[in-house]
Amino acid sequence: LPNPPLWNITMSPELIEQLVLNYLEFFPPDGTPSGRRSRDIDCGDGWYFLIDELFGFLRWQVVITPLERMRQPVVCRIDRDRGHLRIRFQRPTKPVQLLAEFVQSLAMTTCDICGLRGSSNVNDHGISVVRCPHHKCSVMCGGASGATIKAGN
């Protein structure tokens, strides 16, 4: 069998579990369809720290901001859209949306495998991926980073 496509890397289960446990208030209940969907994080380990920093800052904002301006954000989905990080919240307030867009812009120069500085590259299949110089030309790097390579697509 040929190697699975390198652009189809998902976050390791350990990092997803750590993110959910650290920020449980950001995720719908696990037994619901929206809870399962929000925990299916479809991006590489390299973007974990960006999501972690966003959630940490949003948690702080919720505490210090009057309720009428900053309600608790709830994750709808974290995935990739045309190779770029997308963090979607249920009915986000304007500040939440702007902060998510800022983090998404940081991901455009962050390798989705290791988290180092990277750039957007179009692979042989016409799909955009953000990779550092080390991972740009790697044939198989999922095992080294701990990322899970999703078969198919």
Side-chain angles (χ1 to χ4, degrees):
L1 290 173
N3 288 332
L6 194 54
W7 66 85
N8 207 7
I9 295 175
T10 60
M11 190 173 285
S12 66
E14 296 81 16
L15 287 180
I16 292 173
E17 182 180 1
Q18 185 176 346
L19 197 62
V20 172
L21 289 175
N22 288 346
Y23 301 102
L24 196 56
E25 69 272 22
F26 285 86
F27 293 89
D30 192 20
T32 64
S34 60
R36 286 187 295 276
R37 186 174 46 253
S38 69
R39 287 164 173 78
D40 183 21
I41 299 175
D42 188 18
C43 68
D45 289 350
W47 288 341
Y48 171 85
F49 79 95
L50 293 172
I51 299 164
D52 180 60
E53 289 296 323
L54 172 64
F55 286 2
F57 186 75
L58 289 174
R59 176 184 279 160
W60 177 73
Q61 284 291 317
V62 167
V63 169
I64 67 161
T65 307
L67 290 176
E68 59 274 0
R69 291 189 45 225
M70 186 70 170
R71 65 178 178 268
Q72 174 60 54
V74 177
V75 172
C76 181
R77 188 102 171 102
I78 301 172
D79 61 3
R80 272 183 291 235
D81 182 14
R82 287 172 282 218
H84 300 292
L85 178 64
R86 293 293 172 255
I87 304 169
R88 297 173 178 94
F89 291 96
Q90 297 174 7
R91 298 180 314 279
T93 61
K94 189 67 172 172
V96 169
Q97 188 63 39
L98 291 172
L99 287 166
E101 289 172 7
F102 174 68
V103 168
Q104 291 166 175
S105 72
L106 293 174
M108 294 174 77
T109 58
T110 305
C111 179
D112 66 332
I113 294 172
C114 67
L116 293 176
R117 189 167 215 21
S119 60
S120 188
N121 302 278
V122 178
N123 66 18
D124 294 339
H125 301 280
I127 296 173
S128 178
V129 293
V130 181
R131 298 292 154 81
C132 66
H134 175 74
H135 290 116
K136 182 177 178 180
C137 298
S138 292
V139 176
M140 181 60 88
C141 58
S145 70
T148 304
I149 299 180
K150 189 187 277 186
N153 295 0

